[in-house]
Amino acid sequence: MSDDKGLTVKKNEDFSQWYTQVVQKAELADIRYNVKGFVVFRPWAVLIMNKMFQLLEQELEKKGHQPALFPALIPESNFKKEAEHVEGFLPEVFWVTEAGGEGEKIDERLALRPTSETAMYQMFALWIRSWRDLPFKIYQRCQVWRYEGKATRPFIRSREFYWIETHNAFATLEEAEKQVQEDMETTDNVIHKEYAIPFLFFQRPEHDKFAGAVHTYAADTLMPDGKVLQLPSTHLLGQNFSKSFEIKFVDKNGESKYVWQTCYGPAVSRIIAAVISMHGDNKGLVLPPTIAPIQVIIIPIITSKENTEIVLAKCKEILESLEKAGVSPKVDADAERTPGWKFNYWELKGVPLRIEIGPRDIRSGQVVIVRRDNGAKQFVKENEVVNRVKEALEGIQKSLSEKAYNFLNDHLYDSQDYDEVKKILADKGGLVRINWCGLEECAEEMKNETNGGVIRGTLLGKNEEAKGNCIRCGNTSTQVVYISKQY
RNA sequence: GGGGUUGUCGGCUAGUUUGGUCUAGGCUUCGAGACUCGGGCUCUCGAGAUCCUGGGUUCAAAUCCCAGCAGCCCCA
């Protein structure tokens, strides 16, 4: 078996190797670009990400966010306006310090945005004048750069990534808090329902907040190796930035006030890592139909010169009827590849459904439909193809979603025994519910002693009462939190 | 941040331990042709590598030494 063909490792035996192979063999990314932590995103990944972006943007616009595009360069003086923010991000900033062939020094060095608060908010200060301008909700789709110290992996963590960031300003704290709720709903509607990625929403502990935020809420999903991957986070910024950037409005009573702010950042190039990992199998990618660039691959089975045209004509007919029904199909009519080759290729790429059409099928007025997720094969009468395809696509979406949900659910544990917690994290991975005292030092020690276990925070929507003692230090516990290893 | 390890045709690799037989071998890929194909079919011919980069040691370097770049793994 050549290495250029299918995957040579099983997902459940060596997830890390499996991931590397899928990324390469499904032609998602090429890691041969010669800058550390930067990779090339190949067409298949970009097509998937485009679908993902579209779904998110539709949802955001429905909820009143307007698109904008801000410059990628931020002057150092802007960047430094909010003290906590700078402190948090400074170690990760790439700077532009010179320009031109002679390397002429730039007067004030420019940050390549690691996130856009400090680019946007000076403009917010100019644009927002009255209560009539509020709420003010902007989003931008862009790439950002962070000088990551941790090991980089394609999609999971790199020094350049692609995301959407929303930035919002409100007249009151209550409205800002409501926006946080709305962001969670957006996350649920898109990432959970459309991408079929389950997650838990946590309020992060004080010491793990976004730099400059009052509170940080983040969605965590669980990767097949039992480690958590952080997906979107939404931040209640309070008035920290509005005070630094002088974003004020005049309220109905003529009084000048600082706005209340939130921001939200779904990193699509990272979420795709969850999609690859959660849904993929030993044959390669498995894409949820909602984000598959091609939903149905039609493969003609040609056995002689005489029937070539008949078979291809039938394929085209089916293609058109599917297109008319709003499905995205493609015919792979490549005469140089055998059907077997095509089966493997499109399975590797994760196309949800395959239709085979050969002379035998045409004689009996049927086609063969094969599901990518479970390999189920059915013979379908020609006049029922459209309906059956739609059913199958829905079935795949549902089944991927359930499978992923069950995996997460099966890896939630509950323990008040520190040794047991260590053992769970070491053996199976997953998230363990524990009592915790709330002190950062204690969390630090736990991270060391559990070999990487990180406090994710308190679970939202559950209101879990703290009682008993911190599992590590034995002091009175102030909160029920979840701990897990993370990417 | 610290430690380890690797870098040879587009991909996977043999060769490196013990410098010379390497004009760098194989599979795959790619190109031309045959084969008309219900799970990566088979055959013929051809192409593709200043052995990551720079320096050093030597009569002689893919092979030994140093530095840089990049990848992977482990630890903080």
Side-chain angles (χ1 to χ4, degrees), chain A residues 141-409:
Chain A
R141 168 183 179 170
C142 65
Q143 69 217 100
V144 292
W145 299 271
R146 293 181 187 175
Y147 184 70
E148 281 288 350
K150 286 186 177 179
T152 57
R153 308 207 57 187
F155 305 116
I156 293 174
R157 172 178 286 106
S158 48
R159 288 181 167 180
E160 173 177 53
F161 61 89
Y162 295 77
W163 76 348
I164 285 176
E165 49 181 322
T166 79
H167 293 269
N168 318 295
F170 304 92
T172 63
L173 171 62
E174 290 68 37
E175 286 174 89
E177 283 172 337
K178 248 168 85 190
Q179 181 59 46
V180 169
Q181 291 297 323
E182 190 187 282
D183 293 340
M184 291 193 232
E185 193 186 301
T186 300
T187 308
D188 192 55
N189 286 347
V190 181
I191 292 165
H192 184 204
K193 299 202 172 105
E194 305 283 3
Y195 308 167
I197 299 297
F199 55 81
L200 297 171
F201 242 110
F202 293 105
Q203 177 172 343
R204 289 281 188 251
E206 278 297 298
H207 65 265
D208 195 22
K209 289 184 316 193
F210 174 80
V214 175
H215 291 304
T216 284
Y217 307 87
D220 283 338
T221 194
L222 192 63
M223 296 284 264
D225 58 357
K227 289 201 292 196
V228 149
L229 184 71
Q230 176 176 318
L231 299 179
S233 46
T234 172
H235 313 287
L236 183 66
L237 300 177
Q239 294 180 314
N240 291 348
F241 285 91
S242 63
K243 286 179 178 164
S244 315
F245 284 85
E246 287 293 318
I247 314 174
K248 290 192 281 194
F249 71 102
V250 178
D251 74 4
K252 285 180 186 169
N253 306 318
E255 220 176 303
S256 180
K257 288 181 169 166
Y258 289 107
V259 297
W260 296 85
Q261 291 180 277
T262 69
C263 62
Y264 170 62
V268 168
S269 62
R270 173 170 244 212
I271 302 171
I272 195 178
V275 170
I276 296 164
S277 306
M278 302 298 298
H279 303 315
D281 65 17
N282 292 336
K283 288 179 166 183
L285 271 188
V286 180
L287 293 172
T290 45
I291 59 171
I294 298 168
Q295 294 174 310
V296 181
I297 186 71
I298 302 171
I299 298 182
I301 312 291
I302 293 159
T303 53
S304 72
K305 280 206 170 67
E306 293 73 52
N307 61 31
T308 305
E309 269 183 39
I310 304 168
V311 172
L312 288 178
K314 184 55 76 182
C315 289
K316 195 167 172 237
E317 192 186 316
I318 301 285
L319 176 94
E320 282 167 1
S321 63
L322 287 172
E323 275 174 343
K324 224 172 281 169
V327 176
S328 308
K330 175 187 164 73
V331 175
D332 185 351
D334 190 338
E336 305 300 322
R337 303 286 188 191
T338 63
W341 192 94
K342 293 175 187 173
F343 296 166
N344 285 291
Y345 178 80
W346 291 109
E347 279 167 357
L348 193 50
K349 292 273 191 176
V351 171
L353 272 191
R354 175 173 83 235
I355 295 182
E356 301 169 22
I357 302 176
R360 291 209 297 266
D361 301 309
I362 293 176
R363 273 198 296 278
S364 48
Q366 65 176 26
V367 304
V368 180
I369 297 186
V370 184
R371 270 171 69 150
R372 173 65 182 88
D373 62 329
N374 59 14
K377 198 174 212 178
Q378 56 172 331
F379 298 88
V380 173
K381 287 285 162 214
E382 262 180 49
N383 57 5
E384 293 176 9
V385 170
V386 170
N387 286 335
R388 287 299 167 77
V389 162
K390 284 184 152 180
E391 271 168 35
L393 290 175
E394 278 167 28
I396 292 169
Q397 186 78 24
K398 188 157 171 265
S399 137
L400 289 180
S401 189
E402 278 171 8
K403 217 170 120 194
Y405 176 82
N406 289 339
F407 178 80
L408 174 58
N409 220 32

